[in-house]
């Protein structure tokens, strides 16, 4: 009872801490701020969860998330949404990702690429990496040469691995992205004469990013801001590619404050499936053993394996079956393996079997005879002198033990 009173406050405090941590984790997970911006699992202003759940409630429309890398995008007719992309990193893309997007559009899908609004500055290189604004042209050229030398050295170390080929959007789709102040009397983006009249005449727009399509690239400009294209569409096979320089209209804040329902309905079109790609945002699919166990419901099998491991460890530490030879001493059961087993093995290697009993008597004579009366000691000496060397050692040992017992 005293032990329970002593440990109860500590256990109570530990339980409260665990409950508070669980509540905080559930609160953050429910809010979605653990996920990257414009993720369909994020519920704050920077997420797209409102659009995802609104499309889920539409009859006849199937909505899902894809957590795989972009190169594994399936090619079938549907609406593919990639929201919140960084335009600096999308000026050049691996050839495999561009091929996946083109294949999806050619199969009849509408691929929507919505870029996030960014600060008006050029602080990244052509690969989207941060650069020092105070870096001179000579230093930048030397840094690029060093990077090429490092890449060549790494390639020599891995001769069987080919570097990923990167392609610019200007080469693949005939469009470039730029950013500058888009000053206009109208804050939003205005519909162009090329667009359908069912689209809203003006859409709220927060980004200064704009596109520059090539003349023969086949892009159709639907919205402009300050005279610059900010929303375009290009037909690819049976589908199309749609570029938005601002993902505000897809975000939770845009759906709540400046909902462009007609534009969202035009994006969906006649598609019956909608998929939000989470892989390009960094929310990739797990491929470990734990993920496979959760997917196929192997929780019970895993718990059984843990239980079997614990039982095996217990079996190795504790002997369930008693040893064959059990020695009873003073009413206690002594196992075959005793603390004096090492000393016994040493005696067996050092003392001859025939001289063992004589060595024991000699050690008894030199030792302290605590609790032994002089009469018992005299009886033991008499038995030892009258022993027959031809008798078994056990017989002589039993006679010596009987001589020491009080009478």
């Amino acid at each position: 009872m005293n032990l329970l009173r002593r440990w109860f406050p500590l256990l109570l405090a530990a339980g409260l801490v665990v409950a508070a941590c669980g509540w905080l984790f559930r609160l953050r997970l429910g809010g979605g701020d653990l996920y990257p911006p414009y993720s369909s699992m994020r519920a704050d202003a920077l997420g797209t969860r409102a659009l995802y759940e609104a499309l889920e409630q539409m009859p006849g429309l199937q909505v899902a998330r894809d957590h795989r890398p972009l190169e594994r995008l399936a090619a079938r007719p549907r609406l593919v949404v990639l929201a919140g992309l960084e335009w600096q990193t999308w000026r050049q893309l691996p050839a495999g990702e561009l091929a996946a997007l083109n294949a999806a559009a050619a199969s009849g899908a509408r691929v929507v690429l919505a870029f996030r609004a960014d600060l008006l500055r050029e602080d990244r290189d052509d690969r989207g990496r941060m650069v020092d604004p105070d870096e001179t042209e000579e230093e930048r050229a030397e840094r690029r040469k060093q990077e090429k030398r490092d890449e060549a050295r790494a390639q020599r170390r891995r001769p069987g691995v080919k570097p990923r080929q990167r392609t610019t959007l200007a080469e693949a789709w005939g469009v470039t992205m730029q950013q500058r102040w888009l000053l206009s009397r109208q804050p939003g983006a205005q519909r162009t004469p090329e667009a359908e009249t069912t689209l809203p005449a003006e859409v709220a727009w927060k980004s200064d990013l704009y596109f520059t399509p090539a003349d023969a690239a086949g892009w159709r400009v639907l919205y402009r801001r300050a005279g610059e294209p900010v929303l375009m569409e290009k037909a690819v096979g049976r589908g199309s590619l749609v570029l938005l320089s601002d993902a505000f209209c897809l975000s939770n804040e845009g759906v709540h404050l400046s909902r462009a329902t007609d534009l969202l309905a035009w994006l969906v079109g006649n598609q019956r499936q909608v998929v939000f790609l989470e892989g390009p945002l960094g929310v990739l699919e797990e491929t470990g053993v734990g993920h496979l166990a959760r997917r196929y419901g192997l929780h019970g099998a895993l718990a059984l394996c843990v239980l079997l491991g614990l039982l095996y460890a217990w079996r190795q530490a504790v002997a369930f079956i008693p040893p064959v030879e059990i020695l009873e001493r003073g009413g206690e059961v002594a196992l075959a393996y005793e603390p004096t087993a090492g000393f016994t093995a040493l005696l067996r290697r050092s003392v001859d079997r025939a001289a063992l009993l004589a060595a024991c008597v000699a050690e008894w004579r030199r030792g302290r005879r605590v609790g032994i009366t002089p009469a018992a000691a005299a009886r033991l000496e008499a038995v030892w002198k009258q022993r027959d060397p031809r008798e078994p050692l056990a017989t002589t040992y039993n006679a010596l033990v009987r001589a020491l017992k009080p009478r």
Side-chain angles (χ1 to χ4, degrees):
M1 189 64 180
N2 295 332
L3 184 62
L4 180 61
R5 292 179 179 178
R6 182 185 306 172
W7 288 97
F8 179 75
L10 182 60
L11 296 177
L12 181 60
L16 292 177
V17 170
V18 171
C21 293
W23 174 80
L24 182 60
F25 179 77
R26 183 177 181 182
L27 182 63
R28 292 199 63 189
L29 191 64
D33 56 346
L34 294 175
Y35 300 103
Y38 295 96
S39 171
S40 61
M41 295 180 289
R42 187 160 179 160
D44 61 352
L46 294 179
T48 57
R49 185 173 175 178
L51 178 61
Y52 181 90
E53 295 181 353
L55 295 177
E56 271 188 325
Q57 298 178 5
M58 298 295 295
L61 197 62
Q62 299 179 0
V63 187
R65 297 183 178 94
D66 192 347
H67 298 276
R68 297 176 299 176
L70 186 56
E71 295 179 352
R72 298 175 57 186
L73 178 62
R76 58 174 180 265
R78 54 183 177 173
L79 175 64
V80 180
V81 180
L82 290 87
L85 304 175
E86 295 184 359
W87 69 276
Q88 294 94 339
T89 60
W90 275 72
R91 287 185 290 187
Q92 282 189 351
L93 282 183
E97 297 182 0
L98 283 173
L101 294 175
N102 291 328
S107 65
R110 170 171 285 177
V111 181
V112 178
L113 305 180
F115 298 89
R116 69 171 69 180
D118 202 356
L119 295 177
L120 186 58
R121 61 186 183 185
E122 291 288 343
D123 56 355
R124 298 173 185 255
D125 58 6
D126 53 356
R127 294 189 180 183
R129 295 172 296 189
M130 298 294 296
V131 298
D132 187 2
D134 299 331
E135 187 179 28
T136 62
E137 291 295 335
E138 292 77 6
E139 293 175 348
R140 187 177 293 109
E142 182 62 28
R143 178 176 56 82
R144 292 177 178 176
K145 291 180 181 179
Q146 184 62 33
E147 291 176 355
K148 290 182 179 180
R149 288 193 293 266
D150 295 341
E151 291 178 358
R153 189 181 301 107
Q155 183 62 26
R156 289 194 297 269
R157 293 177 180 176
R158 299 179 300 170
V161 179
K162 297 182 179 180
R164 301 180 68 183
Q165 300 295 330
R166 304 182 70 89
T167 307
T168 62
L169 293 187
E171 298 173 351
W173 295 342
V175 59
T176 58
M177 293 180 287
Q178 300 178 7
Q179 193 177 35
R180 65 175 176 83
W181 291 111
L182 298 180
L183 301 179
S184 176
R185 295 182 178 179
Q186 297 174 329
Q190 289 73 41
R191 185 185 63 199
T192 63
E194 305 176 47
E196 292 84 346
T197 56
T198 55
L199 293 175
E202 184 176 353
V203 179
W205 219 259
K206 307 294 183 180
S207 177
D208 290 318
L209 174 68
Y210 65 94
F211 306 109
T212 304
D215 296 335
W219 288 98
R220 183 167 65 104
V221 180
L222 303 180
Y223 281 88
R224 293 178 181 270
R225 185 186 178 197
E228 302 293 350
V230 294
L231 196 156
M232 304 187 308
E233 182 186 22
K234 176 182 179 180
V236 179
R238 295 182 298 169
S240 62
L241 296 172
V242 180
L243 298 182
L244 290 81
S245 67
D246 188 9
F248 176 76
C249 59
L250 306 179
S251 65
N252 299 330
E253 183 181 7
V255 172
H256 176 65
L257 299 179
S258 304
R259 186 181 303 112
T261 306
D262 295 335
L263 176 60
L264 299 178
W266 175 83
L267 290 177
V268 177
N270 57 357
Q271 303 292 343
R272 291 294 174 263
Q273 294 182 357
V274 181
V275 58
F276 286 74
L277 299 188
E278 300 287 340
L281 300 179
V283 188
L284 296 174
E285 180 183 26
E286 299 180 7
T287 57
V289 177
H291 171 70
L292 296 177
R294 290 191 299 269
R295 168 179 287 185
Y296 296 104
L298 300 179
H299 305 81
L302 181 60
L304 181 60
C305 292
V306 173
L307 179 61
L308 292 177
L310 294 177
L311 291 177
Y312 177 78
W314 187 21
R315 172 63 180 85
Q316 295 298 320
V318 180
F320 291 98
I321 302 176
V324 179
E325 298 178 359
I326 298 180
L327 303 178
E328 296 185 358
R329 297 180 179 177
E332 297 180 356
V333 177
L335 300 179
Y337 296 97
E338 298 179 349
T340 59
F343 179 70
T344 304
L346 181 62
L347 289 178
R348 288 178 179 176
R349 291 194 298 267
S350 303
V351 183
D352 186 57
R353 182 181 179 87
L356 177 60
L357 194 57
C360 292
V361 173
E363 290 295 327
W364 176 81
R365 287 173 178 172
R366 289 196 297 266
R368 297 179 58 187
R369 305 175 185 179
V370 180
I372 299 178
T373 61
R379 289 196 299 269
L380 186 140
E381 292 291 345
V383 172
W384 178 251
K385 292 179 180 179
Q386 298 175 3
R387 74 183 187 282
D388 188 0
R390 294 174 296 180
E391 291 181 350
L393 294 178
T395 303
T396 306
Y397 174 78
N398 293 331
L400 293 174
V401 172
R402 288 194 299 269
L404 291 176
K405 290 182 178 181
R407 297 181 180 178

